[in-house]
Amino acid sequence: MEIAIVITLAAGVVKGLAWLRQRLRRRRTEGGVPLGQASIDSAVPTFRIVSLGLQGAGKTLLLASMFHELQAPTRQSYYLSAAPADVAKLTEWFATMADTTDPGGWPAGTTLSETRRFAFTVKTRTADSVHDILRLDYLEYAGELLTRTDPAGAERQAELFAQVQSADAVLGILDGQRIRQHLDGEARGWAELDRTLNILIPHMMNITCPISFVLTKWDLLADLHEDEDTRLARVRDLLMANDHFRALVNTHGTQRVVRLIPVSAVGRGFATIDQHGHVVKVPSAQAQPTYADVPLSAVVPDVFDQAEMRLHEEFTADLDEEIRQWTRRTPLERLSSAATLAGQSAGRALLQYIGTPAVTVMGDVMMGMFLDSRRRRADTEEAQVDRQVNQAERRVQEFLHARRRVLRDMRGKPDQLEGRLPSSRLTAGL
Amino acid sequence: MATVTAQAWPFLVARGRRAGYRTLLMPQPFLAEGDAALLENNVQPSGVPDRPEVLNLTTRMGRAISVVHATHRLTAADLGQADDPKDEHGRPLHLLYGYVRPRGTRVEPDPADLRTARATALEVYRRFLDDEANFTTGAGQPFPLRTSLRTPAESRPAPGAAPRWRPSLRVVLAATLALLCIVFLLFTLTILGDTPTPPKPECVIEAGTTDCPTPTPTGSSTAQKRMVGGTSSARK
Ligand SMILES: Nc1nc2c(ncn2[C@@H]2O[C@H](COP(=O)(O)OP(=O)(O)OP(=O)(O)O)[C@@H](O)[C@H]2O)c(=O)[nH]1
Ligand SMILES: [Mg+2]
């Protein structure tokens, strides 16, 4: 019995190792990924984005509508892709929001247990391939975490603050409904807005990454003035009248443009405020998010610019290494040495001198044929190698071109917004 | 088949009109042990109203528990009001309620237990809504479970049953030793076997010397430079 166990175990291990070895060999010989692709894949950076906003400010709906707007390359060359479970969640939120058969049916407030990181990949298509350009790590959390003081939320709160400190970009979320309340003369509106600024500003003051402010629920401010930029200018003046807010904007403004981006997750006319002050849907209205795609586009190119030097160096080094490794694996270097030698008369003598067994026993004719065959083989293999390297070069160029196009499109979004709403720029300019 | 009737402790996690989510009713042992965040951190709202879900957790004190929970969207009737209650942002209010019981092997939760937990949760929630700011978390008192648990003890062999074979220490040692030897042998073989042997005909010079001459610039190395150069120029 005991021996049988030992034998069975040993047999299992032998089989397992043989299988592993075979796989390793196959991987080593086949290579699998085309030359250059590994470097391209590792040249895709991940940027961490945090939207900083209190409970009810509109973070969840902003995320859902942003994904809704960017899930296909409709108005831009790029689109967002996410894991199926994340897509399902985002789609569910959007559907709940857009469903007017349930007038009060908004997605519930985010719970502590629903804290979740969404991993998006910004992709673009070219004629015959899809390129991953960059990845975004986006934290979705309960806004109340920012203000909790009890021990139950302490762990998650520490996680959130750490995320803010290490973020590549931060979006400050300002609740448009509070501004509406304030402008309507409700004391609560200003009190809440002031509280929001007092909570967000210390966090945003301590970071050096790109920031933008997002003014949510823009549709609720539609009747402030018929001209959209005048409306935004009123909000901007209101915010800039706050000393702390102005100081924050000016501090960050020395490095790059700081924007105030109005967004509506649902679009104008989809919802209204009822007599209790609740946002309710308008029956049979259609959700059409407004500017929901802009906030990401406003910060990502800046983040990219900041990281570009490092990314470029890493990419070049990776590519160098990949090609070095690859040429080491192919007989190219040896082939070309042989071909060069065979082409020279001295080469033949050298070969004889070195004493290659086959060569030493060959007559002149045989020797000539041997060298010819070596040269032919070397030529074809060298041509193959050259072709692969050329293809790799094309692949790399195509990737770089696709990335430039995506970044250009991204930069275009806040620029277009600014063309339409000049008040969206909070800093004078650089 | 041995079953035990156990006790369960109701709980409630919910937010108010203004106050954010809190554990409003905490199983009494959790309160005593200061395991304040366990339920809030782990109980996820469900999209299907009042459908029981079971979650296995371990408390800070190392106790294995099962949390049977469900999500209930509050209605006007629940609170005796005219309209469905909402938070100040206009969102519906939900109860994440249920009970905590000692972990047993999987059994379908009896709906009656969940109903008991919901009734307790609603009662607590009404009190909370009356004065959100000054509400303090209550201790969930135990109630007898209708759901009968099969405890893991059941899987122990019945007395008198034929003893199951257990490997002796000697066998385990022998097997480990044999395994180690085989792994070492195969590892050595794998390493040696995988050392790329230079393809003889390609490196003709190799036969009589230990190293090949430095390669002359080839298609690949020029292409390599070209590509890297291309990269940098492309980024300008
Ligand atoms: N009219 C209008 N209402 C909005 C918009 N975005 C959010 N709301 C309203 O604001 C509520 C809160 O939005 P959420 O996205 O859930 O807020 P949140 O920041 O995720 O809140 P927490 O999860 O509590 O942190 C929604 O239920 C809507 O009633 C918008 O663009 N327009
Ligand atoms: Mg939310």
Side-chain angles (χ1 to χ4, degrees):
Chain A
M1 174 68 115
E2 297 175 2
I3 292 167
I5 292 173
V6 175
I7 291 172
T8 319
L9 270 173
V13 173
V14 169
K15 260 193 176 168
L17 281 170
W19 174 82
L20 198 76
R21 193 175 163 198
Q22 212 175 352
R23 283 207 57 170
L24 275 172
R25 275 239 178 104
R26 200 176 305 154
R27 199 181 289 177
R28 237 176 261 179
T29 47
E30 285 171 2
V33 215
L35 183 64
Q37 193 56 47
S39 306
I40 291 174
D41 291 345
S42 59
V44 178
T46 301
F47 296 137
R48 191 173 282 181
I49 314 277
V50 181
S51 61
L52 212 48
L54 302 197
Q55 55 170 300
K59 298 179 296 297
T60 302
L61 294 197
L62 170 66
L63 180 61
S65 59
M66 177 196 80
F67 182 74
H68 181 265
E69 291 297 276
L70 292 174
Q71 64 185 322
T74 41
R75 290 188 294 270
Q76 66 286 319
S77 60
Y78 59 91
Y79 62 97
L80 293 186
S81 115
D86 285 354
V87 173
K89 193 77 220 169
L90 292 159
T91 312
E92 180 196 316
W93 283 332
F94 193 88
T96 306
M97 178 188 88
D99 177 12
T100 49
T101 60
D102 182 1
W106 303 98
T110 309
T111 62
L112 216 60
S113 58
E114 288 179 299
T115 306
R116 174 174 181 156
R117 296 171 104 111
F118 284 86
F120 297 111
T121 306
V122 176
K123 293 178 178 251
T124 191
R125 294 182 74 99
T126 49
D128 53 1
S129 48
V130 174
H131 296 277
D132 291 4
I133 301 299
L134 46 96
R135 297 199 179 89
L136 300 171
D137 169 346
Y138 195 106
L139 185 72
E140 158 72 1
Y141 62 95
E144 64 194 63
L145 261 187
L146 284 169
T147 49
R148 273 185 88 151
T149 48
D150 61 315
E155 202 180 305
R156 298 271 191 187
Q157 195 176 48
E159 222 176 274
L160 169 66
F161 292 164
Q163 184 89 359
V164 175
Q165 286 308 312
S166 63
D168 293 299
V170 171
L171 300 171
I173 311 288
L174 305 172
D175 187 343
Q177 195 182 357
R178 299 301 186 196
I179 291 176
R180 168 90 251 186
Q181 285 174 326
H182 169 67
L183 295 173
D184 285 348
E186 276 182 55
R188 183 94 204 281
W190 181 250
E192 282 299 322
L193 201 60
D194 196 43
R195 190 168 84 103
T196 305
L197 295 178
N198 287 335
I199 290 162
L200 301 199
I201 287 170
H203 289 289
M204 297 177 87
M205 208 71 197
N206 285 335
I207 51 177
T208 53
C209 65
I211 62 163
S212 260
F213 288 95
V214 178
L215 177 66
T216 58
K217 313 182 191 179
W218 184 229
D219 54 292
L220 297 179
L221 293 159
D223 57 1
L224 216 58
H225 193 279
E226 62 189 26
D227 176 57
E228 198 178 14
D229 191 51
T230 310
R231 286 206 293 275
L232 189 60
R234 274 187 73 180
V235 178
R236 181 202 58 200
D237 294 346
L238 180 75
L239 291 168
M240 291 296 264
N242 179 294
D243 291 345
H244 298 132
F245 184 80
R246 197 173 55 250
L248 175 73
V249 168
N250 291 337
T251 308
H252 279 270
T254 56
Q255 276 131 48
R256 54 185 78 83
V257 178
V258 180
R259 296 179 197 276
L260 174 65
I261 302 160
V263 300
S264 171
V266 293
R268 194 170 174 170
F270 183 84
T272 176
I273 298 176
D274 71 5
Q275 74 273 23
H276 306 292
H278 294 145
V279 180
V280 287
K281 300 173 190 173
V282 171
S284 355
Q286 269 191 9
Q288 274 163 346
T290 317
Y291 308 134
D293 52 338
V294 182
L296 265 192
S297 315
V299 286
V300 169
D302 280 350
V303 176
F304 193 88
D305 287 349
Q306 216 174 34
E308 183 165 26
M309 185 81 90
R310 175 180 53 81
L311 289 173
H312 173 61
E313 277 166 14
E314 282 171 8
F315 183 43
T316 315
D318 281 352
L319 203 55
D320 257 348
E321 182 55 28
E322 192 186 344
I323 292 170
R324 200 171 300 131
Q325 292 266 355
W326 182 76
T327 46
R328 211 175 289 153
R329 258 180 308 177
T330 62
L332 172 76
E333 287 167 357
R334 300 179 180 119
L335 277 173
S336 45
S337 318
T340 314
L341 276 171
Q344 299 161 1
S345 53
R348 193 176 144 187
L350 183 61
L351 289 173
Q352 268 176 318
Y353 172 69
I354 288 164
T356 307
V359 172
T360 47
V361 295
M362 278 175 190
D364 272 354
V365 178
M366 282 286 284
M367 177 76 175
M369 279 172 66
F370 170 76
L371 288 176
D372 270 358
S373 78
R374 299 312 309 140
R375 190 181 303 135
R376 264 203 310 279
R377 211 176 136 194
D379 281 349
T380 49
E381 292 200 28
E382 206 172 328
Q384 263 179 28
V385 165
D386 231 9
R387 204 168 41 248
Q388 285 201 47
V389 172
N390 283 339
Q391 278 170 1
E393 184 175 358
R394 239 193 336 272
R395 200 169 292 123
V396 167
Q397 292 300 349
E398 194 184 275
F399 165 71
L400 291 173
H401 175 74
R403 188 162 78 180
R404 272 198 305 274
R405 197 181 51 172
V406 167
L407 288 169
R408 194 187 54 224
D409 276 13
M410 281 193 167
R411 285 197 179 91
K413 284 185 186 271
D415 289 349
Q416 278 164 20
L417 180 77
E418 197 180 319
R420 204 169 156 172
L421 305 174
S423 305
S424 63
R425 183 190 267 253
L426 290 176
T427 43
L430 299 168
Chain B
M1 189 167 270
T3 53
V4 290
T5 313
Q7 285 188 319
W9 288 262
F11 74 87
L12 170 65
V13 175
R15 60 159 297 143
R17 292 196 175 93
R18 289 185 65 177
Y21 285 94
R22 293 281 181 286
T23 308
L24 301 176
L25 180 68
M26 179 113 63
Q28 194 244 328
F30 285 22
L31 262 188
E33 290 166 14
D35 222 344
L38 189 71
L39 294 170
E40 254 192 86
N41 265 326
N42 293 289
V43 176
Q44 298 251 0
S46 159
V48 187
D50 298 299
R51 186 186 63 188
E53 283 174 28
V54 184
L55 185 68
N56 287 331
L57 297 174
T58 305
T59 66
R60 267 214 324 219
M61 305 298 273
R63 231 171 326 163
I65 56 159
S66 288
V67 181
V68 179
H69 65 97
T71 305
H72 176 71
R73 179 168 160 178
L74 278 155
T75 62
D78 288 329
L79 302 176
Q81 297 174 345
D83 297 318
D84 284 347
K86 292 172 178 175
D87 72 11
E88 61 174 333
H89 310 286
R91 300 176 289 195
L93 293 168
H94 290 91
L95 304 182
L96 274 64
Y97 70 96
Y99 56 87
V100 169
R101 59 163 163 78
R103 200 180 304 165
T105 51
R106 273 192 68 184
V107 280
E108 275 300 303
D110 189 319
D113 290 330
L114 209 60
R115 277 198 299 273
T116 307
R118 194 171 96 182
T120 315
L122 262 173
E123 201 184 297
V124 171
Y125 193 74
R126 286 190 202 108
R127 265 190 289 122
F128 164 69
L129 268 197
D130 284 346
D131 188 4
E132 289 183 19
N134 294 311
F135 183 86
T136 49
T137 302
Q141 298 304 324
F143 67 92
L145 268 183
R146 294 262 195 106
T147 311
S148 47
L149 303 182
R150 284 180 218 120
T151 58
E154 262 180 84
S155 56
R156 274 187 221 135
R164 271 191 283 155
W165 184 82
R166 292 235 187 106
S168 69
L169 188 67
R170 235 166 0 113
V171 175
V172 174
L173 275 175
T176 317
L177 206 73
L179 247 168
L180 278 174
C181 288
I182 292 163
V183 168
F184 176 73
L185 240 163
L186 283 166
F187 184 69
T188 321
L189 275 177
T190 311
I191 297 277
L192 291 177
D194 274 347
T195 311
T197 38
K200 295 278 178 202
E202 278 95 10
C203 184
V204 189
I205 306 161
E206 248 181 21
T209 183
T210 44
D211 51 14
C212 284
T214 323
T216 49
T218 64
S220 82
S221 44
T222 9
Q224 177 182 339
K225 279 189 204 113
R226 223 185 315 142
M227 224 172 3
V228 174
T231 312
S232 56
S233 63
R235 309 291 238 82
K236 272 171 200 157

